[in-house]
Each structure stands twice: as structure tokens, then as C-alpha cells.
Amino acid sequence: ALSTRRRVTAGAALERAGRLRLCFWGKSGFTATMVPHILLGAAPAGRVQGMATPLDEKLRALAADEAKKCGLDVEKLTFTRAGAKSSVKIAVDADERPDLDLLEEASQLIGAAFDAAEEAQQIDLGPSYTLEVTTPGLDFPLREARHFQRNIGRLANLPGGGKGRIAAVENDEVAILPAAKKKAGKKSQGKKAGKKTPQAPVQIYPRAELAGSTIEVEFSPAPAAEQELLGLTMAEYHELAKSDEA
């Protein structure tokens, strides 16, 4: 049975319009709703963004242990205390995108672990709190190798303003297929015609240089030329990069 002092929310990210969440309210059952994407990680007032507190670290350790039982990684945890009501938002992910059932299972395990820790006076979440377990949104910054690995084949917004398709990840290197840049051309029949500026077929970056990249929403398949270059080994991408330099 769920604790009467917490509300558990499990959610699975959808690719475009929003996010589907399964909401549990104590013993009253659940409702499924489509809601807009919410950016995880906003810092509460009086707290520096990105600065973890001892409570954050304890919560993350507890959540990570329980999420691991479901084959999930905890990618982000945000605790916000707001008077009598607090919230814990946790983003989890795996090599295979978690479905709603798996997120529900993880939320139950994590919630039970938090309740047990409170009973043992190891943590204090206040009089009541909301627990939200979801998947990272498209605005989640890619940093670790697994973040890039899980998004191979997808278009990314790179630091500095460029765009490129993630092709491979290996040994702290990332192979990127640069997106063709459109160059303004002459107006034709009231519409702008654009020319695509030729790009190198592949560029190899140290992963650290791409930290903070985010995934771009795409509404159409990748260009055929890019699709043909996907699926190669890192060694083959290095050869392509060398041939272009020559």
C-alpha cells in the first residue's frame, strides 16, 4: 500500500508533444494524463543551481539503489521543499527506453525506500511530499558516454550552436555527422530558396567538448546521405574524417 503522506507519479517521455504520466493518489487509484514537458532541475529559491545538498545526495543514493533493481540509471534528482509540501523529481533512463510499467515499479520501490529512511530518521522530507519518477526530456544535457550511446542516430544541438547527428561513441570520443547548413539564396515566387553548404561527412570530438548537447526534435526521417553513414565503427569514422582532411 502507498504511504498516505506521499503522492507517487510515474511518467514516460513522449517524443514530441509532451509527456504521459500515471499519477497515484494514495489508495484512490490512478489517472493517466497528457501534460506539457517539464524541465527537471529548476533550483528552489535561495539555492544555487546544480549545488547538491547532503539530503540530495542521500536521496540520490537511495533512489539509485532501488532504480538499479529495475535496470535503470538515475540521471537527475531534484528535491524542492515548499512549506508543508515538498517534491522529489527523479529522471531515470536505460539502454532501452523505460515504459510506463517499469517507471511505476521503480516509483514504488523508491517511494518505499524513502519512507523507510524517514522512519529510521535518516532523512526528513517534511509533513508531505510528491514523488515524480519520469524519463529525461529532450532538453536533458548529454554528458556521460551512456547519454550519447543511447541517442545514436539522433540529431543533437551541439555546444556553440551547431547541429549534428550522433553516429558512434567509443573511448571518450563521439563521431558526429554534421547537419548541412542552409545558405540564403535568391527569392523565388515569394519563397526563399536555400542552398546547402557542403559539410565534412564526419567529425570526431572528445566527448568533453560535447558536454551539454541536447537532442533536437525531428518530424521527418534523417536525410538519406546521413542514414547511409550510420552504423559504421569508430575506426571507419576516423578513416572518413582523415580522408576529408586530405
Side-chain angles (χ1 to χ4, degrees):
L2 295 178
S3 166
T4 56
R5 59 180 294 281
R6 67 179 162 90
R7 173 166 67 93
V8 183
T9 306
L14 297 184
E15 286 298 322
R16 295 176 185 168
R19 179 172 295 175
L20 181 65
R21 288 185 182 149
L22 187 61
C23 304
F24 294 84
W25 295 84
K27 298 179 181 178
S28 63
F30 66 85
T31 57
T33 57
M34 179 70 77
V35 297
H37 172 72
I38 292 178
L39 174 62
L40 296 181
R47 182 168 161 194
V48 179
Q49 176 82 20
M51 183 176 290
T53 67
L55 178 57
D56 289 335
E57 293 172 356
K58 287 180 183 178
L59 292 176
R60 187 176 184 114
L62 287 168
D65 287 343
E66 300 306 315
K68 190 175 181 180
K69 296 175 183 177
C70 301
L72 301 171
D73 296 311
V74 172
E75 298 296 359
K76 193 171 188 66
L77 183 147
T78 303
F79 173 66
T80 304
R81 193 185 295 278
K85 294 182 180 179
S86 302
S87 70
V88 184
K89 297 180 180 180
I90 303 172
V92 297
D93 208 355
D95 291 342
E96 291 187 14
R97 186 69 64 175
D99 60 17
L100 206 55
D101 290 337
L102 188 57
L103 292 175
E104 178 188 343
E105 180 183 351
S107 70
Q108 299 298 330
L109 291 173
I110 293 170
F114 286 176
D115 288 347
E118 277 205 297
E119 289 177 10
Q121 297 185 342
Q122 297 172 349
I123 61 174
D124 177 15
L125 298 176
S128 65
Y129 71 98
T130 299
L131 172 61
E132 177 183 338
V133 177
T134 184
T135 51
L138 295 176
D139 52 5
F140 179 75
L142 310 182
R143 299 188 185 282
E144 304 296 333
R146 66 178 181 272
H147 299 160
F148 290 92
Q149 187 72 42
R150 290 168 181 170
N151 286 287
I152 285 179
R154 304 187 72 179
L155 188 64
N157 297 303
L158 309 178
K163 295 180 188 290
R165 196 167 301 280
I166 302 170
V169 185
E170 188 178 301
N171 297 330
D172 288 329
E173 290 184 325
V174 181
I176 295 290
L177 307 179
K181 294 181 180 178
K182 284 191 177 179
K183 194 173 171 185
K186 294 180 181 179
K187 289 186 179 180
S188 175
Q189 297 179 350
K191 293 183 180 179
K192 270 190 181 179
K195 290 184 178 180
K196 288 189 176 180
T197 304
Q199 298 286 309
V202 64
Q203 294 176 355
I204 311 296
Y205 293 88
R207 178 165 51 83
E209 288 187 13
L210 298 181
S213 299
T214 58
I215 297 302
E216 173 83 0
V217 178
E218 293 186 271
F219 298 98
S220 58
E226 293 180 17
Q227 291 186 37
E228 290 175 4
L229 289 174
L230 292 173
L232 304 181
T233 65
M234 184 61 83
E236 290 172 319
Y237 286 124
H238 269 284
E239 288 300 317
L240 277 175
K242 287 179 183 176
S243 64
D244 183 71
E245 289 174 1

